[in-house]
Amino acid sequence: MLNIVKVSSDEQFNEVGAGLVAGLLQSNPRAILGLATGSTPVGVYSQLIELFQKGLISFAQTRSFNLDEYIGLAPDHPESYRRFMNEKLFNHIDIDMRNTHVPDGTAADPEQAALEYTRMLDEAGQIDLQLLGIGHNGHIGFNEPADELQAHTHVVELKKDTRAANARFFNSVDEVPTHAMTMGIGSILKSRQILLMAKGASKADILKRALTGPLTTQCPASLLQTHPNVVILVDQAAGGRLS
């Protein structure tokens, strides 16, 4: 079931997104969170930090699993997703760093590291709330459009347009890694609840296609239509083509 929430300001966007996470933590302090990177969730993370600082929520018993990581970037690289999570959220809350998991982009054997990440996910059990963004080509995590999609964590070659979209975070597109490790579609869809977040008019067409079009591996986000509990959080521009 898809529940679409349209908001009219960044402040509302962040409050709704953080409110969903906070409500979960208040009812289940041991919740498992699936976390995402990129510009869209930054404000949500800031709002969560504020709620923690006010004593309204705690992450002390929480575990987290991030969707993906670039292959070849060290954890302290300015554009690694581990560093992103540390700077935008983890360093400012009471989560135990040992309970935060991000795929290992520097593993000598990335394929083996992907298998290990899948094992950790399976041992942890079901993710209670998975945060997602959506790429302009419909990718979620780094599950790119393809004839077939993988269920579990795996290594993926990034599409040219995905690298181009992420080039704004680097000095040039040539610096954007060519490969990444990502949680698979099967693992994402196993989550109890999913929060898909999108901002801006450039996401309007792909959201319309993903949420109302046919189910197809050429638009990985379309498979969210099969999930029983998805919240779609959008601003007016991104949700412009959604009823």
Side-chain angles (χ1 to χ4, degrees), residues 66-154:
N66 261 74
L67 280 167
D68 42 31
E69 178 62 284
Y70 288 117
I71 289 180
L73 296 191
D76 60 353
H77 187 282
E79 299 307 329
S80 81
Y81 289 158
R82 163 54 78 177
R83 180 162 171 176
F84 175 99
M85 291 306 307
N86 288 351
E87 293 183 348
K88 302 300 183 186
L89 183 63
F90 297 153
N91 287 347
H92 311 286
I93 57 175
D94 61 343
I95 198 165
D96 186 337
M97 281 293 192
R98 294 171 295 182
N99 289 332
T100 67
H101 305 285
V102 180
D104 184 0
T106 59
D109 185 343
E111 300 287 354
Q112 184 60 41
L115 289 173
E116 175 66 15
Y117 203 71
T118 295
R119 183 192 64 76
M120 286 195 297
L121 279 167
D122 289 343
E123 288 183 356
Q126 200 172 14
I127 289 174
D128 292 291
L129 176 61
Q130 176 66 62
L131 275 56
L132 292 178
I134 181 171
H136 292 95
N137 62 4
H139 75 248
I140 48 177
F142 274 130
N143 292 282
E144 298 276 24
D147 292 336
E148 298 176 338
L149 295 177
Q150 297 204 36
H152 304 297
T153 306
H154 58 284

Side-chain angles (χ1 to χ4, degrees), residues 200-214:
S202 66
K203 295 293 177 72
D205 286 343
I206 193 60
L207 277 171
K208 174 76 171 178
R209 179 184 170 200
L211 303 179
T212 66

Side-chain angles (χ1 to χ4, degrees), residues 13 17 36 40-41 44-45 131-134 195-199 203 207 231-234:
F13 188 99
T40 305
V44 173
Y45 293 152
L131 275 56
L132 292 178
I134 181 171
L195 172 61
L196 178 67
M197 300 176 286
K199 291 181 181 180
K203 295 293 177 72
L207 277 171
V231 176
I232 316 295
L233 176 59
V234 293

Side-chain angles (χ1 to χ4, degrees), residues 24-89:
L24 170 63
L25 294 180
Q26 288 163 347
S27 63
N28 178 15
R30 300 180 66 85
I32 299 174
L33 300 176
L35 299 178
T37 54
S39 56
T40 305
V42 169
V44 173
Y45 293 152
S46 295
Q47 187 74 18
L48 287 171
I49 292 167
E50 281 189 38
L51 293 174
F52 161 71
Q53 291 172 339
K54 292 176 180 176
L56 298 174
I57 56 173
S58 171
F59 296 81
Q61 301 179 67
T62 304
R63 287 176 288 169
S64 71
F65 289 87
N66 261 74
L67 280 167
D68 42 31
E69 178 62 284
Y70 288 117
I71 289 180
L73 296 191
D76 60 353
H77 187 282
E79 299 307 329
S80 81
Y81 289 158
R82 163 54 78 177
R83 180 162 171 176
F84 175 99
M85 291 306 307
N86 288 351
E87 293 183 348
K88 302 300 183 186
L89 183 63

